[in-house]
Amino acid sequence: MIIASNFKTNHTRKSTREFVSKVADFAKNLSVDVRIYPPSSALDCFDLSKNIKIGAQNFYPAQYGSFTGEIGFEQLEEFKIDSLLVGHSERRSILGESNELIKEKFDFAKAKNVEIIFCIGEPQTVWAGGSLAVLDYLWNQLEGIDLKYEKLIIAYEPVWAIGTGRSAPLEEIENTLSFLKEDIDRPLLYGGSVKAENIAEILRLKSCDGVLVGSASWNVENFIEMIKIANEELK
Ligand code: 13P
């Protein structure tokens, strides 16, 4: 079971250190797999147990080069980063990343043999069209992605549920994940307004293998509480 925190554009280098140290201390003997994705300015080498990884929210698909403002793979290797978010909806919609660029990033990261949390999710207009429209949209986002890649994790994050406080209904999450599971033999996460109050019921869904959490995870005590609840669910 994977519990991941996406910091987005929050936390400093100093507060990230404090956060990681508290989480590492709490989760070191648990069976839950924890992921933390700080902003790139806060990446560093941390002393962590095997079930905890620090990853990058973004990278440019090049080892190094002239890509002003971007972070290449050499800069990630310096901190032994081996988990990456690819295709987050904020990168797609706010930063204008196309399916083509996202596929390029996926292929690059796969060639580097690192873990990839590949994010997909439909906007509200598509959601309004019903479950077939949603699945059609998601499969389009997955086109060209090697779904057999052994370090691939899929995160289903409906855009309209991100940062809104309104998580998708449980039945819909299960419906979508179970359809994806028919063709994807990799862990499937849900993301979108996950918090301590709803994490247990989401993790209990048959097809859900974990969660990718934004805002509710930025406070370290809240995140630790969610890890604790997830660990209880494993028992
Ligand atoms: P929220 O948990 O704030 O809805 O964000 C989800 C998300 O985008 C995680 O990647």
Side-chain angles (χ1 to χ4, degrees):
M1 182 184 287
I2 299 166
I3 309 297
S5 168
N6 175 7
F7 279 14
K8 307 190 179 185
T9 317
N10 298 281
H11 277 292
T12 61
R13 192 168 181 76
K14 183 167 180 281
S15 67
T16 298
R17 274 219 149 264
E18 290 162 5
F19 186 108
V20 171
S21 147
K22 282 188 185 168
V23 171
D25 205 40
F26 179 79
K28 63 180 181 239
N29 296 320
L30 305 183
S31 316
V32 178
D33 281 314
V34 177
R35 301 286 181 268
I36 300 169
Y37 299 87
S40 55
S41 60
L43 293 178
D44 212 337
C45 291
F46 297 92
D47 188 18
L48 302 169
S49 52
K50 271 214 168 67
N51 62 326
I52 308 174
K53 276 186 201 285
I54 302 296
Q57 295 172 23
N58 183 41
F59 66 101
Y60 192 79
Q63 186 65 17
Y64 53 82
S66 299
F67 308 103
T68 302
E70 293 292 322
I71 181 162
F73 206 74
E74 183 180 76
Q75 288 83 44
L76 299 181
E77 280 174 336
E78 184 178 16
F79 302 119
K80 306 200 168 22
I81 298 301
D82 59 355
S83 181
L84 300 167
L85 293 185
V86 176
H88 192 278
S89 75
E90 284 149 18
R91 297 220 52 93
R92 292 175 190 266
S93 65
I94 303 173
L95 284 308
E97 287 192 8
S98 64
N99 274 358
E100 289 68 36
L101 176 61
I102 291 165
K103 175 174 156 35
E104 215 183 304
K105 290 185 175 195
F106 173 87
D107 288 341
F108 188 92
K110 180 188 153 194
K112 294 289 181 185
N113 198 32
V114 296
E115 177 181 273
I116 300 168
I117 296 193
F118 192 84
C119 306
I120 55 174
E122 81 287 355
Q124 181 136 26
T125 46
V126 172
W127 176 69
S131 61
L132 282 182
V134 169
L135 284 169
D136 200 46
Y137 189 90
L138 301 181
W139 279 117
N140 185 263
Q141 290 184 319
L142 289 167
E143 206 177 310
I145 299 305
D146 177 7
L147 300 173
K148 295 200 160 45
Y149 177 49
E150 60 182 14
K151 293 189 180 171
L152 170 67
I153 296 161
I154 303 277
Y156 168 54
E157 302 197 295
V159 177
W160 49 272
I162 294 179
T164 57
R166 187 175 135 232
S167 168
L170 293 172
E171 200 185 307
E172 283 182 28
I173 300 173
E174 175 54 25
N175 231 348
T176 305
L177 294 183
S178 66
F179 271 117
L180 293 173
K181 227 173 187 108
E182 282 179 16
D183 295 291
I184 307 174
D185 188 21
R186 301 294 317 143
L188 302 179
L189 314 185
Y190 168 77
S193 297
V194 178
K195 46 193 170 228
E197 292 76 17
N198 63 12
I199 189 171
E201 56 193 22
I202 291 170
L203 291 175
R204 272 179 217 145
L205 294 172
K206 191 165 166 280
S207 308
C208 181
D209 303 302
V211 289
L212 177 55
V213 192
S215 38
S217 70
W218 301 336
N219 172 291
V220 70
E221 272 75 37
N222 281 349
F223 190 51
I224 285 176
E225 177 65 19
M226 283 188 265
I227 295 170
K228 195 166 149 189
I229 296 170
N231 198 57
E232 289 293 316
E233 291 300 318
L234 281 177
K235 287 179 186 163

